[in-house]
Amino acid sequence: MGRLLAQETNISDVVQFLSDRDPSPWADLVGFVPDTVSREARDANHADLLLSSAARRAVIEVKLGHSMSAEQQKKYEVLASQPDLYLAALSFDAGRVDADAARWRFLCLSDFVGAWEDSSDESARVLAREAAAVLRSWDNSIARVFARRGAEDSQPLSSLDQKFFARVVTRRVASDIAERGRRAWAGVTSGGGLPLVQAWTNVRGETDERAFIAEIRWWETKPGGELRFGVDFKPRPGGVEDEVVRRAAYDLAMSMDADLEYASLKAAITESRPDLATLLRRDRPSRPKSKGDWEPVITHGFANAPLLDGRKNNRQRTAPGFYGDGALRFQAIAEIDFGTATARDLVDLIEVTLTYLTSRQPGS
């Protein structure tokens, strides 16, 4: 059952089956009993579930590992039929719809499917009880990794045995970081699809385009993850990446050369939060060796700084002695012990790392 429900489309299929057997639970869920329940309805933005009656319509969008983009959300909101809108997801994703989206309502998946647990139809009742039990166990698993480390019900991040759990966790971590006044975002790595959460704090006296970054990435082939920390710049609003912004980012990173190292970060966190410091380790250099000539990249950018043999230039062929993407991000890496760390620890690690970077910037 767990393998079945781990696919969002399968959850919607299960709910459609339950609806076909007994549509009456919808009255408590959405306020009316539909005449029809359709899957992937073309006339409703390919909604996971479209409920229709003579007087009302409702859309149910089911999410598990994936997120609902602002664009997808907007497409539902502008439907001419003006259906009622519901997002069904695990309980820790209750905040995934924009706060100002007054038309949306949230349905916890375990309660959603559990609405059929007392159905008069035996097939629906048996299936709902089995499915709801799995969904509740998933909610409980995520809740346990958000418990304070050392608490009786706490579990480390390594206890999460479903891939999509990490995406749910990163979204909640990003939300918790944002509540502390930091800019934060959760998603997946480009190309690799690895879950990650990123947070930023502005360089002193600067706007959001000149920032320090702390991010946590899940590993793909083994349990665990890593903390990346350093400098992350962007072009000014309306501007483009040019030599000025590339040089500013690199110069700041180089001016903090000794601080953008695992050993320096570990020492600082050991002093302020020794409980968090025990979660970090690095048995090899926390930054790569420089490769090639970085100055042409600063001057011209990767696209306009081809290699001498004519090959296209990139970070794999020319490296500045930092990890990162493109020509504006410069980071070091520390590994995180997911066998001990909880999701709350990730929030705290990002917070103390951003504080560390701020305190070490030139002029502090």
Side-chain angles (χ1 to χ4, degrees):
M1 182 61 72
R3 289 194 297 272
L4 173 72
L5 296 177
Q7 299 293 324
E8 291 172 357
T9 54
N10 291 344
I11 296 176
S12 301
D13 288 337
V14 166
V15 174
Q16 185 176 40
F17 173 80
L18 296 174
S19 302
D20 291 343
R21 302 293 300 190
D22 176 14
S24 64
W26 285 112
D28 289 333
L29 290 170
V30 300
F32 71 99
V33 177
D35 298 323
T36 60
V37 176
S38 306
R39 287 275 291 112
E40 297 291 338
R42 284 191 175 186
D43 63 339
N45 194 31
H46 295 277
D48 290 330
L49 294 161
L50 174 64
L51 284 54
S52 302
S53 70
R56 294 178 64 179
R57 285 160 64 97
V59 160
I60 313 292
E61 183 66 19
V62 177
K63 293 296 184 185
L64 198 60
H66 299 91
S67 60
M68 181 165 61
S69 67
E71 180 182 3
Q72 184 183 29
Q73 183 176 323
K74 184 67 174 178
K75 285 182 178 179
Y76 285 125
E77 293 168 358
V78 299
L79 287 172
S81 58
Q82 291 288 293
D84 300 331
L85 301 174
Y86 293 86
L87 173 66
L90 294 176
S91 62
F92 270 73
D93 267 333
R96 284 172 62 179
V97 177
D98 290 344
D100 60 352
R103 286 182 55 197
W104 288 85
R105 298 292 181 270
F106 180 79
L107 294 173
C108 175
L109 276 174
S110 57
D111 295 337
F112 178 32
V113 175
W116 278 266
E117 286 184 291
D118 295 321
S119 172
S120 59
D121 182 90
E122 182 178 6
S123 295
R125 184 170 63 250
V126 171
L127 177 58
R129 288 176 179 176
E130 292 292 332
V134 170
L135 294 167
R136 289 189 187 103
S137 73
W138 290 349
D139 276 332
N140 290 336
S141 293
I142 295 172
R144 283 193 287 270
V145 302
F146 273 93
R148 182 71 62 185
R149 181 160 35 117
E152 183 177 354
D153 58 347
S154 174
Q155 289 291 326
L157 291 161
S158 60
S159 68
L160 300 177
D161 57 2
Q162 294 280 357
K163 288 185 177 180
F164 63 84
F165 282 162
R167 295 188 180 186
V168 178
V169 168
T170 54
R171 287 191 291 265
R172 180 56 182 266
V173 168
S175 176
D176 289 351
I177 293 170
E179 288 182 358
R180 300 187 180 189
R182 305 288 193 182
R183 288 183 289 121
W185 174 83
V188 296
T189 57
S190 176
L194 302 178
L196 81 163
V197 57
Q198 300 174 316
W200 299 265
T201 188
N202 293 1
V203 172
R204 183 188 303 108
E206 280 289 355
T207 56
D208 293 351
E209 298 77 41
R210 304 289 188 269
F212 296 112
I213 185 173
E215 65 175 294
I216 291 172
R217 299 188 181 197
W218 263 246
W219 289 335
E220 182 176 17
T221 58
K222 59 182 179 178
E226 63 193 31
L227 168 69
R228 296 189 175 206
F229 60 100
V231 172
D232 187 31
F233 279 23
K234 296 187 298 184
R236 301 290 190 190
V240 297
E241 182 186 314
D242 57 17
E243 179 180 353
V244 173
V245 64
R246 288 190 290 265
R247 192 171 299 281
Y250 182 67
D251 286 351
L252 176 59
M254 289 303 298
S255 72
M256 299 175 64
D257 183 62
D259 303 305
L260 299 185
E261 291 279 4
Y262 161 71
S264 297
L265 176 69
K266 177 74 175 276
I269 295 180
T270 298
E271 185 175 342
S272 63
R273 287 290 303 273
D275 58 313
L276 295 178
T278 62
L279 304 175
L280 298 177
R281 62 174 183 270
R282 187 71 177 178
D283 298 326
R284 51 182 174 159
S286 59
R287 285 167 35 191
K289 292 182 179 179
S290 59
K291 182 193 304 183
D293 187 356
W294 190 250
E295 181 61 28
V297 177
I298 294 177
T299 305
H300 306 291
F302 275 121
N304 297 312
L307 301 177
L308 294 178
D309 59 6
R311 289 186 303 167
K312 184 178 180 180
N313 209 344
N314 56 39
R315 198 88 180 224
Q316 284 70 47
R317 292 167 179 154
T318 304
F322 295 89
Y323 290 103
D325 305 303
L328 300 178
R329 185 177 292 175
F330 304 91
Q331 298 171 297
I333 289 179
E335 296 163 11
I336 304 173
D337 178 10
F338 274 30
T340 303
T342 67
R344 284 195 179 203
D345 290 325
L346 300 189
V347 177
D348 290 343
L349 272 173
I350 287 177
E351 175 69 22
V352 299
T353 300
L354 291 177
T355 299
Y356 163 80
L357 291 169
T358 301
S359 70
R360 297 302 177 97
Q361 64 186 307
S364 296

